[in-house]
Amino acid sequence: MLDLVKSVPSSQDPIDCRMVAHDLWPRRFLERREEMAVTLPSRVFWPRSDDEVRAVVLAARVERRPLVPFGAGSGVCGGITPGTLAWVLDLKRLDRILELDGERGHVVVEAGMIGERLEEFLNSRGYTLGHFPSSIYCSTVGGWVATRSAGQLSSRYGKIEDMVLAVSGVDGRGEAIHAAIDDPDTGPGAVQLLVGSEGALCVITRVKLRILPLATHRFVRGVSFPTLEQGLTAMRAVLQGGHAPAVLRLYDPLDSALAGATATSTEPLRVHAGGLARARVEDSGPHDAEEPTLFDALVRRVEELAVFSRPRATRAVVGELLGRPGIANSILDRFDGKPRLIVGLEGDADGLLQRGPQLLQLLHAHGATDLGDAPGEKWLRHRHRVSYRMSKAFAVGGWVDTCEVACGWGEVAPLYRAVREALRDTAVVLCHFSHAYHDGCSLYFTFAGGGSTGSGPRGSLTRYDLCWERALTTIRRHGAVVAHHHGVGRSKLKGLRLADGNRAVLMALKRALDPDAILNPGVLGLPAQGA
Amino acid sequence: MNRSVARPRVVVDDLAAAVEPLRLARFRGEALVASALRLRAPSATSEGAIAIDADNGLADVDARLSLRAIGDALAARGWWLPLLRPWAAVPLWRLVMDAPFVVDALVQRGVLLSVDGDAVDAPRAPRHAAGPSMVHALCGPTPLSLVVRATLRVVPRTHAHLVVTDHGSVAAASAAFVAVTSAARAVAVDAFGTRVAVLAAEHAADAVDDGHSLPVERGAAWGTMPARARASVSIAPGDRAAIGRALLAGRRVVAVPFMQRAAVLQSRPSTTPRLVDVPAAAAALAAALTENKAVKKERP
């Protein structure tokens, strides 16, 4: 097996190693802007089979090399941070679909498969996984499972951990391992102990996922609420009332204002052909006007103030404003939007014509104003775009990051207000509530700030770290969990306080599955090699 | 090699008190099987045994209680467990080891102890993404932790009602079961023979009606229900063939559509869990992950 490692494609070329040196953690971009050196791993491997993965793991164990599994590198929490001695296991050549069984409702796929390609394959055969993270074009199945990813239709289809029927991989001993929900020797407990392990317990090489037939019709609509609290109460009522919407996303007043004004609608409910999964690609053409970002809103506001006539000057001012978030927040406070909810159902046309009005009636009972189909269909067209449009803020010296947490319904509104308040002089904060359950939901914060170059108190990196520290402190004080679907990585490690028992259980699993602690050292608070 | 001790030999008030005897047993080189541990259960109506959080649809329960006791006490207060009865009178802390479906379906979080007696934090928030799921460390032949109090999902009786239909054949019942589970709107689905019971909001219950099924009176529906379940083997929720086979064999097949989980219920577990220390339990799990049939099949 050790000889096999010589035939595994690999490279020590600095360019190849640079490509896998980190994920999309925004802090890394700030470091690059500060011209801090990139730490390159020692070598990158591109295994083509489980056996080749085993060979690399065994070789890493012999050489006592840290080994970092790498999917598509779209993580945003610093989960991929190889040191100079580390080897990186880039899994993108493990991209085969091994089995599709529509009768039994599952697909078996290798871990390096890009999500969009898997969904396209399933769609072409009349199925869907129902998993649509905004990173679907640049994230892998293995990455989803390793971080407990969630997609935009999670209220209907669940999170990735709900879809996983079995996980195969290679542990730190170089042993092939397999856990399946229907295996009495391991059981679903073992599956759920490997899911979310962020590459620290095993290298996930293949996954069996449950699939569902594509829905034939959809209805997606926008409504607004007088207050955020009313919107949250309505969301809870929808979930607890068993309506199982495919989409249920509430945007806070600022985020709602950015979407622009929409008139009240009296149009009757319309059901569109094609489920939400099908609507993903074909309706998302480049002809659509772009949804404004926070950056665009600040530009617009500065332009409205008519202080500067030149776009470049305006952008420079916006960059400056991001470094003075107190002032930026005062400007943005003038955007007074009504919290907007996007709600959507999937199913057959007759069923939707029956369920849709019932759902809208429930929302109206909680104070909703109907905005018609337009906001919903617009969201549908733009739903994968925002993640790719953060660079504008970086280009003017600012930064943007996101933080997704989860808590029970009672804590949602207080936590939202507390985080906004805690960050008021550090960052501009937006929030939406997009993954809801009967007992609580996720809060997805986007914060943007700026600062000068250098390491002083006004430096971007200092401000960025301060922002995270304040956010994590507030999140923990309110009893929320620090991660809902991005994983923990390094950005949230400080917020991950493990009880003694958790640590003992995790450490025991780590020692049993990765006795030399070579797999992705440093995540989940687990010890690094030699510790 | 540890000797297994099957006789009931440790009787304690709560799990925290069980830790010392467990350590002592290990010191003697014995591995206690879970059935050797007896906990004195409180009354389900005693103060603090069950606390309902109506806003979040949750009930915080003492894990020494059985599902049957919990279900009865909740029903008296106007709530339903999203699992249909009957269940064996096995305490919850013990049931979760053999019936992982109970964890999937019910346990949202809890107060847990590692097998060595350390507190384990199972998050208060729903569907967290901070590492491996600690509530799932409760399940299996060598569990890593024990549940002291569990936060269970519950449903107000006013929000859900029971519809039972007879589909005439096992194949049709399997198809109806899969359809209702896939729709993800019902609270619970339970199939036996040719019958399917759905607990759902009024607007969601019609999903079980395939146009050929006949409604069944509740009492009559479960008159032929077999043994009280005390173990489960999970299955893929869309696997019609596996569901059909289980129904033909006279088993109950259950699902919680909101979690996309399904299982075949059993009247007795295939093995009795052993309570060993955390490192030994982790080592046993690692061995099971390596030695299972799927891995052996692929091994050259």
Side-chain angles (χ1 to χ4, degrees):
Chain A
M1 186 57 82
L2 273 172
D3 287 341
L4 182 60
V5 78
K6 291 172 189 160
S7 64
V8 180
S10 73
S11 171
Q12 286 188 297
D13 187 309
I15 293 176
D16 291 328
C17 291
R18 176 69 185 80
M19 298 302 288
V20 294
H22 59 79
D23 56 14
L24 297 183
W25 185 16
R27 194 181 199 284
R28 294 287 179 244
F29 297 120
L30 290 182
E31 290 168 2
R32 297 299 86 79
R33 204 166 63 194
E34 294 291 319
E35 297 180 356
M36 292 166 70
V38 185
T39 303
L40 297 185
S42 168
R43 183 182 282 273
V44 53
F45 288 88
W46 296 285
R48 297 157 296 191
S49 67
D50 285 28
D51 276 348
E52 289 193 346
V53 173
R54 283 189 68 204
V56 176
V57 173
L58 286 170
R61 200 176 173 197
V62 169
E63 290 211 17
R64 303 188 74 79
R65 295 267 184 184
L67 187 62
V68 180
F70 186 96
S74 64
V76 290
C77 299
I80 305 293
T81 306
T84 50
L85 292 176
W87 286 350
V88 170
L89 206 46
D90 186 337
L91 298 162
K92 279 195 286 295
R93 291 192 188 181
L94 285 177
D95 63 350
R96 292 173 300 163
I97 290 166
L98 302 173
E99 184 184 335
L100 172 71
D101 189 333
E103 188 63 27
R104 288 188 161 82
H106 71 246
V107 62
V108 180
V109 58
E110 289 187 321
M113 167 68 81
I114 294 288
E116 173 65 12
R117 286 191 52 214
L118 172 63
E119 188 61 24
E120 275 176 1
F121 170 84
L122 293 172
N123 289 178
S124 69
R125 284 149 180 85
Y127 298 101
T128 180
L129 180 60
H131 190 68
F132 302 99
S134 56
S135 64
I136 190 167
Y137 296 100
C138 61
S139 55
T140 61
V141 172
W144 293 348
V145 174
T147 56
R148 292 185 178 270
S149 162
Q152 292 160 341
L153 309 185
S154 65
S155 301
R156 162 72 180 85
Y157 294 99
K159 288 183 73 191
I160 194 74
E161 61 255 42
D162 305 323
M163 304 169 192
V164 176
L165 302 174
V167 178
S168 298
V170 177
D171 68 13
R173 301 169 296 175
E175 297 278 0
I177 60 169
H178 178 80
I181 62 162
D182 54 356
D183 180 346
D185 293 336
T186 58
V191 173
Q192 292 299 329
L193 287 170
L194 297 179
V195 173
S197 56
E198 301 195 17
L201 298 181
C202 68
V203 181
I204 295 168
T205 56
R206 62 180 71 177
V207 188
K208 185 177 179 182
L209 300 160
R210 74 101 182 89
I211 54 171
L212 290 168
L214 277 167
T216 57
H217 291 80
R218 70 175 185 271
F219 114 86
V220 197
R221 210 158 171 101
V223 299
S224 69
F225 291 92
T227 67
L228 188 72
E229 280 75 3
Q230 280 171 283
L232 290 169
T233 305
M235 281 177 86
R236 183 173 67 180
V238 168
L239 267 298
Q240 293 183 352
H243 289 273
V247 184
L248 194 67
R249 300 170 72 88
L250 180 69
Y251 294 88
D252 77 352
L254 176 55
D255 216 340
S256 301
L258 293 181
T262 305
T264 303
S265 168
T266 54
E267 65 184 356
L269 187 140
R270 277 192 301 157
V271 171
H272 297 263
L276 291 157
R278 270 290 192 202
R280 184 180 75 266
V281 179
E282 55 260 45
D283 294 349
S284 180
H287 53 278
D288 289 318
E290 293 209 326
E291 189 92 355
T293 61
L294 174 65
F295 179 84
D296 299 325
L298 272 170
V299 168
R300 201 166 81 207
R301 201 69 206 167
V302 171
E303 282 170 350
E304 281 168 13
L305 293 173
V307 182
F308 300 97
S309 55
R310 291 183 187 170
R312 243 173 97 179
T314 303
R315 277 170 167 69
V317 169
V318 169
E320 195 63 27
L321 272 176
L322 286 173
R324 292 176 167 76
I327 300 171
N329 276 315
S330 302
I331 292 173
L332 289 168
D333 282 347
R334 294 165 189 240
F335 284 83
D336 186 21
K338 300 272 184 230
R340 181 176 295 189
L341 180 81
I342 303 297
V343 61
L345 295 174
E346 275 191 329
D348 60 81
D350 290 345
L352 291 184
L353 286 171
Q354 192 182 353
R355 291 167 60 201
Q358 290 170 341
L359 180 54
L360 285 179
Q361 194 178 6
L362 177 65
L363 294 173
H364 292 153
H366 284 85
T369 300
D370 198 349
L371 304 176
D373 284 355
E377 290 292 324
K378 185 178 173 189
W379 169 81
L380 200 55
R381 289 192 301 273
H382 292 271
R383 62 189 167 135
H384 290 302
R385 290 191 177 174
V386 68
S387 299
Y388 303 93
R389 299 174 59 213
M390 292 180 170
S391 53
K392 286 181 182 176
F394 282 90
V396 295
W399 45 264
V400 184
D401 205 345
T402 56
C403 173
E404 26 62 72
V405 301
C407 62
W409 284 114
E411 291 99 41
V412 176
L415 175 60
Y416 163 74
R417 298 199 188 290
V419 169
R420 278 183 63 86
E421 192 54 40
L423 302 186
R424 191 165 175 80
D425 61 354
T426 321
V428 174
V429 182
L430 299 176
C431 185
H432 65 262
F433 310 82
S434 50
H435 303 280
Y437 311 95
H438 79 281
D439 58 337
C441 79
S442 155
L443 296 83
Y444 193 102
F445 292 105
T446 301
F447 31 78
S452 58
T453 53
S455 58
R458 280 183 47 78
S460 280
L461 267 174
T462 309
R463 292 278 189 85
Y464 175 86
D465 289 342
L466 181 65
C467 180
W468 266 103
E469 194 178 317
R470 287 181 177 174
L472 290 175
T473 303
T474 310
I475 289 159
R476 284 195 52 78
R477 201 169 58 233
H478 282 258
V481 287
V482 295
H484 176 266
H485 56 272
H486 288 173
V488 179
R490 279 162 182 79
S491 66
K492 297 173 178 174
L493 210 46
K494 282 184 184 170
L496 185 70
R497 299 270 188 271
L498 297 176
D500 288 347
N502 296 60
R503 198 173 293 281
V505 168
L506 275 176
M507 292 278 280
L509 287 170
K510 179 77 173 171
R511 286 196 181 111
L513 293 168
D514 181 21
D516 297 323
I518 58 170
L519 293 180
N520 206 10
V523 296
L524 298 177
L526 289 166
Q529 186 191 6
Chain B
M1 190 67 154
N2 282 348
R3 286 181 295 123
S4 286
V5 177
R7 281 176 292 119
R9 48 174 292 157
V10 180
V11 181
V12 287
D13 286 327
D14 55 43
L15 281 167
V19 171
E20 267 318 302
L22 285 173
R23 281 186 185 141
L24 191 60
R26 283 200 291 274
F27 180 72
R28 290 182 185 139
E30 298 168 352
L32 275 184
V33 291
S35 52
L37 201 58
R38 290 272 189 267
L39 268 63
R40 294 187 188 91
S43 158
T45 54
S46 63
E47 193 178 339
I50 298 176
I52 294 172
D53 171 0
D55 283 349
N56 290 318
L58 297 170
D60 182 53
V61 305
D62 190 314
R64 291 172 295 174
L65 295 168
S66 69
L67 270 195
R68 189 197 294 179
I70 294 165
D72 289 346
L74 286 171
R77 292 162 73 173
W79 292 82
W80 249 329
L81 283 172
L83 273 180
L84 301 176
R85 289 179 283 177
W87 283 85
V90 179
L92 187 62
W93 72 270
R94 179 73 184 78
L95 184 65
V96 292
M97 294 177 191
D98 302 320
F101 180 74
V102 171
V103 175
D104 283 339
L106 288 178
V107 181
Q108 307 292 295
R109 41 194 183 256
V111 177
L112 316 181
L113 279 180
S114 77
V115 188
D116 293 342
D118 292 319
V120 176
D121 180 28
R124 292 169 53 203
R127 322 315 310 283
H128 66 112
S133 162
M134 285 296 143
V135 291
H136 284 87
L138 298 167
C139 314
T142 50
L144 287 147
S145 62
L146 308 165
V147 61
V148 178
R149 287 192 76 85
T151 304
L152 308 181
R153 186 183 191 220
V154 293
V155 187
R157 294 184 74 144
T158 50
H159 279 47
H161 71 281
L162 187 66
V163 176
V164 186
T165 45
D166 194 311
H167 295 261
S169 72
V170 160
S174 308
F177 181 92
V178 170
V180 179
T181 304
S182 300
R185 292 160 59 206
V187 175
V189 192
D190 198 323
F192 173 63
T194 58
R195 290 170 174 175
V196 179
V198 176
L199 185 67
E202 200 164 357
H203 61 82
D206 59 352
V208 74
D209 181 10
D210 59 4
H212 305 291
S213 56
L214 295 170
V216 180
E217 291 294 320
R218 265 181 69 184
W222 303 115
T224 53
M225 181 62 78
R228 296 170 190 283
R230 58 152 305 166
S232 72
V233 174
S234 297
I235 54 171
D239 191 344
R240 230 179 291 177
I243 292 162
R245 279 197 302 274
L247 294 178
L248 273 176
R251 304 230 186 264
R252 270 172 77 190
V253 185
V254 292
V256 275
F258 82 104
M259 295 288 285
Q260 292 287 297
R261 300 280 194 236
V264 179
L265 298 185
Q266 297 178 321
S267 54
R268 66 176 62 157
S270 51
T271 56
T272 306
R274 294 188 318 138
L275 300 179
V276 295
D277 58 69
V278 171
L285 177 66
L289 289 169
T290 314
E291 292 302 318
N292 63 57
K293 284 180 204 149
V295 173
K296 281 181 180 161
K297 196 172 136 192
E298 298 216 344
R299 195 170 286 156

